[in-house]
Amino acid sequence: MSTILQAISLRKNFGGVVALDDLSFEVRAGEIKSIIGPNGAGKTTLFNIISGIYRPSSGRVRFEGKDVALLPPHVIARKGISRTFQNLQLFANMTVLENVMVGRHPRTRVGFWRSIVRFPGVRREERLTARAAKELLDLVGLADNAHRAAATLPFGKQRLAEIARALATEPKLLLLDEPASGLNVRETEQAGRLIQKIRDMGKTVLVVEHDMSLVMGISEEVLVLDHGRRIAEGPPREVQKHPEVLRVYLGEDFHNAASAES
Amino acid sequence: MSKKNLIGLIVLIAFLLVIPRFFGNPYYLGVLVWSGLYSLICMGLSLFMGYCGQISLGQAGFYALGAYGSGILTARFGFEPWPALAVALVACVILALGVGLPTLRLKGHYLAMATLGFGVIIYVVADADPFGLTGGPSGFSGIPKLSVFGLALNDELRWYYFVWATVLIFLFFLLNLVNSRVGRALRSIHGGETAAKAMGVNVAKYKTQAFLLSAAMASVAGSFYAHYVGFVNPEPFNLELSIHLVTMVVIGGVTNLWGAIAGTVLLTVLTEGFRTFFKEYRLLFDGLILVVIMLLFAEGLFLGAAKKVAALVARASCLRSRRRPGASTHSTGNPEAAS
């Protein structure tokens, strides 16, 4: 499989705080890759850099072989990277359907003047936009909530609406920031199946997640970060046994006890 | 165009056609002409404030540019009114671009500061008259009347129809805009800039476009002003007017074009009705309105008050049915709560 995303010695400082420290990794096209690590490991910072919201202090991000680290976020979205947000950022002033329709923005064309006069072509595009958005709401199971105000959706459904909105931009690479946080066990399982379905649609998915059962269940590859550095990378089974990972997640003592036993 | 908006437009047109029958006297019509001129400005401002979440405190400056542009070009350089309007409009948009480009790329209320300064500069320049064009504090007159399709606008009734027809045309266009791809992009900016950017919306571009449109509409209103009054002086275009315009938009509920018009008419009529009082205390009154609306009716006076009344009615009927035994189940909608 070919590489779709490549991070090369990424570094990000916030004042004196180092959020990412010389981080390099690759994502292969068509895989589900998870990024795990304790709070403050730099996971969300990494997403913010890939999606163009932050610029890295140094290092490069290559998407489909081209440098994207210095591009503004709306251009990166157009190139085929989309994302959801850990702290839900649906447009509260719009309906669920309208939220997803905003996601069609980079794939539609009607501009200022044509919108004002509303030529027939405008109406056609509007219909297609609404139809595409409805199909995505179907996919994530929110078809019945299309006309609700986004802010009134329960937490779990807001996560799904964000995924639908992100998919509406037709991303090649989808970044999901803690898609299962705040979900119950059943909802988490559903989210896992949805993520696999999205992968089966030919998209690459990069997931930041704390829920280990979800991560281990769906990922082809897992990247473990701690203090902005890569401490392990590989298939879930290998990563689970990695001594550094055990140390970070379970503490020094547990790690020593485990190695003493074996 | 949604059904609701279409019905709204038809009702508004009917209303506008009926009004002169009851308020045919030139004084009342004059007040309505002013309401129409301010509505033009406030619709643009509402688009910018309500849909982009930005605020401009310099609309009086753009209004002044239109008025002085049209006035100077026609009275001093012999331009025809319509070409003069176009030239003033282009100049206004270029200046707005100069104010907006550097500030709208930044997060936060830099544009509010920049427009505040801009409005004051326009006022000061018109007042000081460094190029001998504006006539200084006493202004200048001799601005010709405007003609539309060969029809001279020489009385209040014609002005009334002309200004409100323009308002309707702009309202129609803006309603189209708001319910389109671009309108959704604008609303998404208000909903959350970061998410909007991540969805591919070029936030700076759309903010700039909406700002330019608001400036252009203020400029057109200013040009009409010059031809309507036939005389321009700096005094009406002070900072107070900019604040007054913002108040009109806020009264109507910032994200509502209909509200912008309703708020404008309400405040214009009120200001005119209590003219002697407002001469001294308009700013105080504006401040009071802004505070009250922001605290009590975030959606604007009309929608907000309607919801408050609806809530009160619901509560009253709930209380009443609770007093009647056996009827409370239906009002609470929860059978267990009643038992």
Side-chain angles (χ1 to χ4, degrees):
Chain A
M1 267 190 288
S2 63
T3 302
I4 188 164
L5 186 85
Q6 208 179 359
I8 305 160
S9 354
L10 276 182
R11 212 182 150 77
K12 178 71 185 175
N13 310 317
F14 294 102
V17 180
V18 181
L20 289 180
D21 191 1
D22 197 27
L23 177 67
S24 300
F25 68 94
E26 288 185 0
V27 181
R28 286 191 300 269
E31 74 175 353
I32 298 175
K33 181 161 189 156
S34 293
I35 303 175
I36 62 172
N39 287 324
K43 305 180 299 282
T44 295
T45 304
L46 177 63
F47 268 20
N48 281 336
I49 288 176
I50 298 173
S51 56
I53 290 162
Y54 293 164
R55 286 184 172 190
S57 306
S58 65
R60 295 198 296 173
V61 178
R62 289 167 76 82
F63 178 63
E64 297 189 309
K66 288 186 201 98
D67 269 304
V68 295
L70 298 178
L71 297 176
H74 66 270
V75 176
I76 290 181
R78 214 171 295 152
K79 286 195 178 293
I81 300 180
S82 192
R83 67 170 294 178
T84 64
F85 295 87
Q86 181 191 344
N87 56 335
L88 297 169
Q89 293 196 19
L90 285 177
F91 307 120
N93 53 342
M94 303 168 100
T95 67
V96 176
L97 183 70
E98 284 173 327
N99 264 277
V100 182
M101 286 171 81
V102 172
R104 295 298 300 156
H105 193 85
R107 305 293 166 228
T108 42
R109 301 183 38 191
V110 165
F112 204 79
W113 295 109
R114 287 216 292 157
S115 301
I116 283 181
V117 190
R118 216 175 179 83
F119 288 120
V122 177
R123 262 178 256 175
R124 200 173 139 264
E125 189 184 273
E126 195 72 6
R127 263 202 312 276
L128 291 177
T129 303
R131 193 193 298 162
K134 276 182 193 145
E135 280 170 10
L136 287 169
L137 285 179
D138 252 342
L139 178 80
V140 301
L142 285 182
D144 296 336
N145 298 281
H147 298 288
R148 268 176 82 167
T152 66
L153 277 188
F155 203 76
K157 289 186 174 176
Q158 291 202 25
R159 290 229 175 272
L160 294 174
E162 279 217 350
I163 293 176
R165 184 179 68 180
L167 284 175
T169 67
E170 294 176 18
K172 293 168 189 155
L173 172 66
L174 179 63
L175 313 176
L176 300 176
D177 200 349
E178 301 201 16
S181 113
L183 302 192
N184 63 34
V185 177
R186 198 174 55 90
E187 287 172 329
T188 303
E189 278 171 13
Q190 283 170 346
R193 279 196 293 277
L194 176 63
I195 295 168
Q196 284 172 321
K197 209 186 308 178
I198 291 166
R199 188 258 328 265
D200 295 341
M201 287 158 60
K203 302 192 185 296
T204 312
V205 188
L206 195 56
V207 190
V208 162
E209 186 49 64
H210 281 299
D211 186 306
M212 282 307 140
S213 66
L214 179 67
V215 168
M216 296 307 164
I218 62 170
S219 319
E220 273 95 27
E221 280 251 315
V222 178
L223 169 68
V224 190
L225 297 186
D226 185 35
H227 292 106
R229 290 170 160 278
R230 178 178 69 179
I231 57 171
E233 191 175 9
R237 260 173 229 286
E238 284 175 30
V239 166
Q240 266 172 317
K241 285 183 288 190
H242 197 285
E244 272 294 294
V245 178
L246 291 176
R247 185 184 63 76
V248 165
Y249 268 89
L250 302 170
E252 202 72 51
D253 294 343
F254 186 91
H255 172 223
N256 290 340
S259 38
E261 239 172 71
S262 57
Chain B
M1 175 107 356
S2 75
K3 218 176 209 167
K4 231 163 57 185
N5 284 332
L6 203 63
I7 293 171
L9 274 179
I10 293 168
V11 169
L12 181 59
I13 290 171
F15 207 64
L16 289 170
L17 288 174
V18 167
I19 282 179
R21 297 197 179 278
F22 297 99
F23 299 98
N25 121 20
Y27 171 70
Y28 290 138
L29 287 176
V31 174
L32 291 171
V33 170
W34 287 112
S35 302
L37 289 177
Y38 289 147
S39 289
L40 276 178
I41 308 176
C42 287
M43 279 193 290
L45 193 56
S46 165
L47 184 83
F48 185 59
M49 280 172 61
Y51 293 88
C52 296
Q54 291 280 323
I55 193 164
S56 164
L57 292 171
Q59 292 312 98
F62 298 119
Y63 187 44
L65 275 174
Y68 273 100
S70 271
I72 290 170
L73 289 173
T74 52
R76 298 203 192 278
F77 295 101
F79 272 62
E80 288 296 315
W82 286 105
L85 180 144
V87 172
L89 179 67
V90 170
C92 185
V93 168
I94 290 170
L95 277 175
L97 200 62
V99 178
L101 264 191
T103 48
L104 285 172
R105 294 183 175 273
L106 306 171
K107 242 186 180 160
H109 284 294
Y110 291 93
L111 183 99
M113 293 294 113
T115 48
L116 181 76
F118 171 80
V120 171
I121 289 170
I122 296 293
Y123 178 83
V124 169
V125 169
D127 198 60
D129 195 15
F131 308 110
L133 290 170
T134 66
S138 50
F140 66 100
S141 57
I143 301 164
K145 288 281 169 206
L146 194 63
S147 299
V148 189
F149 304 121
L151 194 71
L153 300 174
N154 49 14
D155 66 8
E156 300 290 338
L157 188 64
R158 285 183 182 177
W159 267 105
Y160 164 81
Y161 282 127
F162 170 69
V163 167
W164 278 97
T166 315
V167 170
L168 281 173
I169 291 167
F170 271 101
L171 177 63
F172 176 76
F173 285 157
L174 289 184
L175 286 173
N176 277 343
L177 181 71
V178 166
N179 296 303
S180 72
R181 170 177 180 263
V182 176
R184 272 194 303 276
L186 291 173
R187 279 147 73 202
S188 78
I189 295 171
H190 196 191
E193 276 193 31
T194 307
K197 285 178 186 166
M199 292 308 119
V201 174
N202 187 344
V203 170
K205 181 181 115 184
Y206 283 111
K207 274 186 187 172
T208 309
Q209 281 185 344
F211 179 59
L212 295 187
L213 185 67
S214 82
M217 289 175 70
S219 169
V220 169
S223 292
F224 290 174
Y225 169 102
H227 293 294
Y228 174 58
V229 180
F231 165 80
V232 187
N233 66 326
E235 203 255 311
F237 304 103
N238 53 17
L239 176 62
E240 232 182 283
L241 177 64
S242 288
I243 294 169
H244 197 54
L245 292 164
V246 169
T247 311
M248 289 171 171
V249 172
V250 169
I251 274 201
V254 277
T255 49
N256 191 333
L257 290 166
W258 295 98
I261 295 178
T264 304
V265 175
L266 178 74
L267 217 56
T268 310
V269 170
L270 271 181
T271 316
E272 196 55 36
F274 302 94
R275 188 200 271 270
T276 40
F277 172 74
F278 277 109
K279 211 155 199 151
E280 301 288 330
Y281 298 110
R282 191 169 84 174
L283 204 54
L284 179 74
F285 191 66
D286 283 344
L288 209 63
I289 291 178
L290 284 173
V291 171
V292 170
I293 297 278
M294 289 301 178
L295 287 179
L296 297 179
F297 309 107
E299 290 166 283
L301 185 60
F302 308 107
L303 214 60
K307 280 193 182 163
K308 284 258 152 80
V309 169
L312 279 179
V313 169
R315 195 187 294 169
S317 70
C318 181
L319 283 176
R320 207 176 321 126
S321 57
R322 206 171 280 169
R323 264 185 237 123
R324 261 187 293 136
S328 57
T329 47
H330 122 103
S331 66
T332 54
N334 182 357
E336 277 142 71
S339 52

